[in-house]
Every structure is written in C-alpha cells, then in structure tokens.
Amino acid sequence: MGQDSLDKRMVKEYIQSLHQLTGIPLDKLENYGNTNNLMNALEHPHSLELTSTQLQKVEQLNEFLISHRVLQWEVENTQQKITSPELAGSYFSAFLQGLRDRERFMVAFLDNGNHVIETRIISEGGLTEAPVYPRNILKAALNCDCTSIIMAHNHPGGSLKPSREDIEMTKRMVAIFEPLHISILDHIIIGNAGFTSLTQTGQLPKAAEEAISYEAITLKSLEEVERYIPAPYPEPVWDGVIREEEWER
C-alpha cells in the first residue's frame, strides 16, 4: 500500500472517529478537511459553526487528550521529578501544547527534591490575554507547603517570544517568593514549535529586582508579543534531549 493511499485511509478514519465522538456531521468534516487542516476542528472548533452540544463534546475530547498526554509523561517520568528546563518544558507541553483557543496560566508546586506536589490552573483567558493574580499563586504555594515553583503558559498564536508582561510577571513572582525562601525555578512559554524557558534565556532573575506587588497583571500575546524586542540570544526550543543537571536554587 502506497503512502498516499495510507494517508487517505488515516484521514478517513480520523474523520469517522471525530464524527462518532462529537456528533459533527460527516459531510461537514469532509468539506472542512478539503480546504483546511483537520486538526483545527479540535484546536479551533468555533470555525466549524458547531452546536452547543457538539462544542461541549469537542471540549471533553480535548480534555481527554490533555489527560492522556499528562499520564503518558508521568509513566515516562515515574518519579514525577522535574530537574531541568527540558523536563519542565516537556511536562507543561503535555498540558498546553495544541491549546489554540485560549491562554492558560499554570503553576507546578515542587518539594525540596523537585517532585511535583500539585499542578494547578491559575488563570484562563481568551486568545490574546489572561489576567493573573499573584495572591492566588501565593495562597496555593503556602497551602501545599512547597519549596519551589515553576510557572507556565501558552501563546495561542504560537509565538515563543516572551512579552513584556511575561517578563514583568516573572520578576514580580521572584520578588514575592524570595523573602519566603521559595524559589522560582522557571517560567515556561509553550508555542507551536516547542517551548521557551526563561531560565535558559537568562530572563529569570536570581534575586528580587523590584518591590513586592500583589496587583493583577494581564499576560498578553500576539500583537503585544510582536512589539516586544527580544534580547540578542538565540531562541531555545526543546530538542527532545533530557538532561539531568539541577537548577541553581
């Protein structure tokens, strides 16, 4: 069987499965797939003008796929221990990769052995921004008695460049948690082509650089990101190589 016929069979099976799981009519999916990327049916479901029931089923399917990726990560990393930016990037990619219809801000709370105590969604926004309240992160960190945290969020537009707000949020978190002896290990940005680690790019402060503030800050992407002028270093993308060096604490 040739590659072309194999691809056509897989596309047909994908459309059939999506129809059965979501109730989206076959002809609508087939017509959409003739001129669009079929993955957009999951990542941008509103483009298909679905019913509320169909949208709900697509959302449930997306949540299932996220759960599957997270469980797969946990099987491959049985200790649930994050000891490098590469592992942090792969961990949050399981939660955030392919999330194109909203911006989601998450935090992983770790113990003194870098084991994950809890991972929590702190905020969800729209396509271009998500408001984040530092006090919510502080409350969660104190409740689980963590010694370090890793922040992460996705850019629905796919950019890997940190915005001014991303940098400001990172500085603010360092200022809040440094007096409590809780380390900010990293801030991971998930885009279409991988992830960016603010630790790897040198944009994560090792010490507080500003006064403590608990005011909300709105993380922005798309147009705001494009206006941000990045520092003169290459943009790192996870290459799939797992390295075990410890972060500086």
Side-chain angles (χ1 to χ4, degrees):
M1 184 180 294
Q3 181 65 38
D4 289 343
S5 59
L6 179 62
D7 289 346
K8 288 179 181 178
R9 189 188 73 183
M10 292 183 68
V11 168
K12 184 177 180 180
E13 291 176 351
Y14 179 85
I15 290 175
Q16 183 67 35
S17 298
L18 195 56
H19 160 68
Q20 293 175 346
L21 290 168
T22 65
I24 302 174
L26 279 172
D27 58 345
K28 176 175 281 192
L29 288 170
E30 290 168 351
N31 292 336
Y32 184 81
N34 288 334
T35 55
N36 300 277
N37 184 342
L38 274 170
M39 290 303 294
N40 287 342
L42 290 178
E43 297 172 353
H44 301 282
H46 291 281
S47 61
L48 275 77
E49 299 181 355
L50 305 181
T51 66
S52 58
T53 299
Q54 291 165 354
L55 280 171
Q56 184 179 24
K57 289 183 177 179
V58 169
E59 182 65 23
Q60 290 173 341
L61 180 56
N62 279 325
E63 291 302 321
F64 168 79
L65 291 173
I66 289 173
S67 299
H68 174 77
R69 291 196 297 266
V70 172
L71 288 172
Q72 186 177 40
W73 187 93
E74 291 179 350
V75 169
E76 294 170 354
N77 302 273
T78 53
Q79 292 183 309
Q80 296 185 44
K81 185 176 181 180
I82 303 178
T83 57
S84 69
E86 288 78 17
L87 274 172
S90 67
Y91 178 68
F92 281 107
S93 291
F95 288 97
L96 300 172
Q97 193 75 52
L99 197 63
R100 306 285 174 79
D101 62 345
R102 79 202 76 164
E103 187 164 332
R104 176 180 288 176
F105 183 88
M106 304 183 69
V107 175
F109 303 94
L110 282 63
D111 64 16
N112 59 8
N114 283 40
H115 298 94
V116 178
I117 301 171
E118 180 184 359
T119 301
R120 183 176 297 192
I121 298 172
I122 300 297
S123 174
E124 276 196 343
L127 281 171
T128 60
E129 60 185 36
V132 178
Y133 292 87
R135 65 177 179 271
N136 292 340
I137 304 174
L138 176 61
K139 181 179 179 181
L142 295 177
N143 284 343
C144 66
D145 196 27
C146 70
T147 58
S148 59
I149 70 175
I150 305 171
M151 303 180 294
H153 74 283
N154 65 305
H155 283 170
S159 173
L160 291 173
K161 297 178 182 178
S163 68
R164 284 186 291 267
E165 289 77 13
D166 297 341
I167 303 300
E168 176 60 29
M169 168 56 69
T170 306
K171 291 179 179 179
R172 188 174 296 184
M173 290 298 98
V174 172
I176 289 172
F177 284 101
E178 184 182 53
L180 302 175
H181 304 290
I182 297 176
S183 302
I184 306 296
L185 295 182
D186 214 334
H187 188 167
I188 302 292
I189 296 171
I190 304 294
N192 287 351
F195 71 87
T196 293
S197 157
L198 267 63
T199 292
Q200 286 184 327
T201 63
Q203 292 175 288
L204 191 142
K206 294 185 180 296
E209 296 180 354
E210 57 183 46
I212 294 175
S213 171
Y214 296 98
E215 294 297 317
I217 186 167
T218 300
L219 301 184
K220 297 183 179 181
S221 55
L222 299 177
E223 290 87 357
E224 287 297 319
V225 170
E226 294 305 317
R227 287 204 293 268
Y228 175 70
I229 301 175
Y233 39 67
E235 188 175 84
V237 177
W238 182 49
D239 56 10
V241 178
I242 303 301
R243 303 176 182 87
E244 291 298 331
E245 61 266 23
E246 291 282 335
W247 279 308
E248 293 183 11
R249 309 212 19 118

